[in-house]
Amino acid sequence: MPLAIRTAGANASDHMQIIPLVLDFPRVMGKPGRPKELPDELYADRGYDSDDTRWLPRWLGIEPHITKRKTPHGSGLGKVRWVVERTISWLKGLRRMRIRYDRQAVIQEAWNTLAACVICFHMLHDDEIPAG
């Protein structure tokens, strides 16, 4: 399920976007008592590789799993990241989400929220997402 979506310009560096995305993440349900506010682990691809991107999640109590650049493929992250790639393909399957027509970020955020709601609805009621 898409839990958090963040829109940024094409010229925005990935590693600068990861902390706002983590902070937008909804509370994690778990054991009775004070609810967790952040996930335990963070999985990211090579675009997020930097020392700051690794340090800040650790400081927040999140274990980062980020592949280093210029290393051979086959780290095993693909087994976990395919969920993200699949969800992005579902978003792009909704025609309005393929091309960004709106200039205002607030309108794009509204479309992202609506698309996430459609995906969640289909996941809960149909057990499959229709292809575009």
Side-chain angles (χ1 to χ4, degrees), residues 46-113:
R46 287 173 174 83
Y48 295 95
D49 183 29
S50 77
D51 291 335
D52 293 337
T53 307
R54 293 174 195 283
W55 176 82
L56 201 50
R58 279 194 184 109
W59 183 73
L60 292 171
I62 303 169
E63 181 60 33
H65 300 279
I66 303 172
T67 306
K68 291 192 178 281
R69 291 183 184 172
K70 299 180 183 177
T71 59
H73 289 276
S75 64
L77 282 182
K79 295 174 185 171
V80 177
R81 284 219 20 97
W82 76 269
V83 176
V84 176
E85 301 300 331
R86 177 203 61 194
T87 305
I88 291 171
S89 77
W90 287 345
L91 284 171
K92 298 298 181 181
L94 301 169
R95 185 171 180 226
R96 177 68 188 191
M97 301 303 292
R98 288 186 197 144
I99 299 173
R100 184 174 175 177
Y101 297 103
D102 305 299
R103 290 181 177 244
Q104 294 180 333
V106 69
I107 294 174
Q108 186 63 36
E109 292 293 329
W111 282 111
N112 288 344
T113 302

Side-chain angles (χ1 to χ4, degrees), residues 10-55:
N11 61 348
S13 178
D14 285 345
H15 74 276
M16 298 300 287
Q17 300 299 318
I18 198 163
I19 297 307
L21 180 64
V22 169
L23 296 178
D24 286 349
F25 202 78
R27 289 181 176 217
V28 179
M29 300 300 286
K31 298 178 183 176
R34 183 175 176 200
K36 286 182 63 70
E37 294 186 9
L38 297 171
D40 292 326
E41 298 176 312
L42 173 89
Y43 291 89
D45 59 16
R46 287 173 174 83
Y48 295 95
D49 183 29
S50 77
D51 291 335
D52 293 337
T53 307
R54 293 174 195 283
W55 176 82

